[in-house]
């Protein structure tokens, strides 16, 4: 097994009017290729903060995030965005689709931002895997929550990133739809050889992981 991404002694402080909040207090973790990790812990324990930093969406106050030997925290914002689009896919609780773009354009967004042409065969495979045939011309507002999340999953895998980061991906879905959506996310990750890191409050989902990481007060316990 080889390590895909490493967090080295990560700290994150937020400055708020009442002083500083220490969201992460020295987190070190290695994530291996093609494995599924569940990040669990109480509300406010630091899961989202950690995912944002792992995904290069936020910078730590101290520490390193190493991907293939490169510390992504040291890159300029622009280079980090490019890095992010090539290495990572994201799935959020709120789907974060672009309302003014149809399903197809939303899915292809990570490629179009990089001026890349889609691999049509792969695109069709993703659409079929996620059961989105017949939905590609629709707009996000015309879809159910579960359908929107499947579009978000399609978007997260389309650039064939090595890592998929998902923050409570089923938080807005009913139990059954949530389970179906997760099954598809796991199927995609397996099929396309991706490492999956999911923050979740769902014990059943966590049990499916290869490894469970529990966070308490910004520390791994
Ligand atoms: N932008 C921010 N400004 C100030 N404090 C923040 C900010 N974002 C998060 N925090 C604080 O950092 C800590 C960790 O928050 P985080 O969102 O990472 O928790 P979480 O484990 O994802 O919680 P949940 O399960 O509710 O999503 C909390 O104390 C939170 O209040
Ligand atoms: Mg959170």
């Amino acid at each position: 097994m080889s390590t895909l991404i490493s967090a080295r002694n990560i700290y994150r402080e937020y400055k708020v009017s009442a002083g500083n909040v220490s969201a992460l207090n020295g987190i070190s973790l290695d994530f291996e290729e093609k494995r599924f990790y569940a990040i669990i812990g109480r509300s406010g324990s630091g899961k989202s903060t950690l995912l944002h930093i792992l995904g290069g969406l936020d910078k730590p106050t101290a520490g390193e995030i190493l991907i293939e030997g490169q510390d992504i925290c040291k890159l300029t914002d622009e280079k980090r965005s490019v890095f992010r689009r090539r290495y990572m896919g994201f799935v959020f609780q709120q789907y974060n689709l672009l309302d003014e773009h149809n399903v197809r354009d939303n899915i292809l967004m990570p490629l179009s931002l990089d001026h890349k042409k889609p691999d049509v065969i792969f695109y069709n495979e993703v659409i079929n895997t996620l059961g989105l045939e017949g939905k590609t011309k629709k707009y996000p507002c015309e879809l159910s929550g579960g359908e929107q999340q499947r579009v978000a999953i399609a978007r997260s895998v389309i650039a064939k990133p090595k890592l998929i980061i998902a923050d409570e991906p089923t938080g807005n879905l009913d139990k059954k739809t949530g389970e179906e959506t997760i099954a598809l996310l796991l199927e995609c990750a397996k099929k396309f050889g991706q490492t999956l890191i999911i923050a979740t409050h769902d014990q059943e989902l966590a049990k499916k992981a290869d490894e469970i990481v529990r966070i308490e007060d910004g520390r791994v316990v």
Side-chain angles (χ1 to χ4, degrees):
M1 260 185 317
S2 66
T3 303
L4 177 65
I5 180 165
S6 298
R8 292 268 176 278
N9 222 10
I10 295 294
Y11 288 80
R12 177 64 165 101
E13 278 191 358
Y14 290 108
K15 287 195 187 357
V16 290
S17 52
N20 285 354
V21 177
S22 300
L24 300 178
N25 295 298
I27 289 203
S28 295
L29 286 166
D30 285 335
F31 298 93
E32 310 290 335
E33 279 192 349
K34 300 181 186 180
R35 282 172 77 81
F36 166 21
Y37 297 84
I39 312 275
I40 61 168
R42 290 177 55 180
S43 183
S45 57
K47 302 180 298 295
S48 296
T49 305
L50 176 63
L51 291 192
H52 285 121
I53 288 175
L54 284 172
L57 296 165
D58 182 26
K59 278 190 189 179
T61 313
E64 297 177 322
I65 299 293
L66 301 171
I67 299 181
E68 297 188 345
Q70 174 131 38
D71 181 4
I72 59 166
C73 311
K74 290 213 178 78
L75 298 172
T76 61
D77 287 352
E78 201 179 322
K79 283 204 172 128
R80 204 170 49 252
S81 303
V82 173
F83 209 83
R84 198 163 56 222
R85 287 203 293 273
R86 304 222 167 124
Y87 277 84
M88 301 168 195
F90 296 91
V91 182
F92 301 98
Q93 183 172 353
Q94 311 292 346
Y95 324 130
N96 291 9
L97 301 175
L98 298 171
D99 293 332
E100 64 280 16
H101 292 269
N102 69 19
V103 164
R104 182 178 187 276
D105 291 347
N106 265 287
I107 293 173
L108 295 177
M109 196 59 66
L111 295 172
S112 35
L113 287 170
D114 265 347
H115 310 290
K116 281 191 192 148
K117 287 225 170 72
D119 167 346
V120 179
I121 294 172
F122 184 65
Y123 171 78
N124 286 329
E125 189 182 353
V126 169
I127 293 287
N128 291 336
T129 304
L130 291 163
L132 289 168
E133 313 91 333
K135 306 275 183 214
T136 57
K137 296 222 165 65
K138 290 197 184 284
Y139 285 79
C141 63
E142 301 172 302
L143 303 177
S144 71
E147 287 166 348
Q148 290 190 54
Q149 197 59 307
R150 281 187 272 138
V151 174
I153 292 170
R155 179 184 58 187
S156 78
V157 299
I158 199 68
K160 302 181 186 171
K162 289 188 173 174
L163 175 62
I164 306 286
I165 291 177
D167 194 356
E168 295 184 41
T170 59
N172 277 339
L173 303 175
D174 65 74
K175 192 163 182 289
K176 184 161 175 286
T177 309
E179 282 169 5
E180 287 166 4
T181 308
I182 283 297
L184 288 170
L185 180 57
L186 298 183
E187 185 185 337
C188 276
K190 204 166 208 94
K191 201 167 181 179
F192 307 135
Q194 290 149 332
T195 300
L196 192 55
I197 306 178
I198 304 184
T200 184
H201 287 284
D202 180 344
Q203 296 293 333
E204 293 303 311
L205 169 56
K207 277 189 209 150
K208 296 194 177 100
D210 297 311
E211 217 165 297
I212 296 178
V213 178
R214 181 186 290 278
I215 310 275
E216 257 175 44
D217 297 328
R219 292 182 185 84
V220 178
V221 293

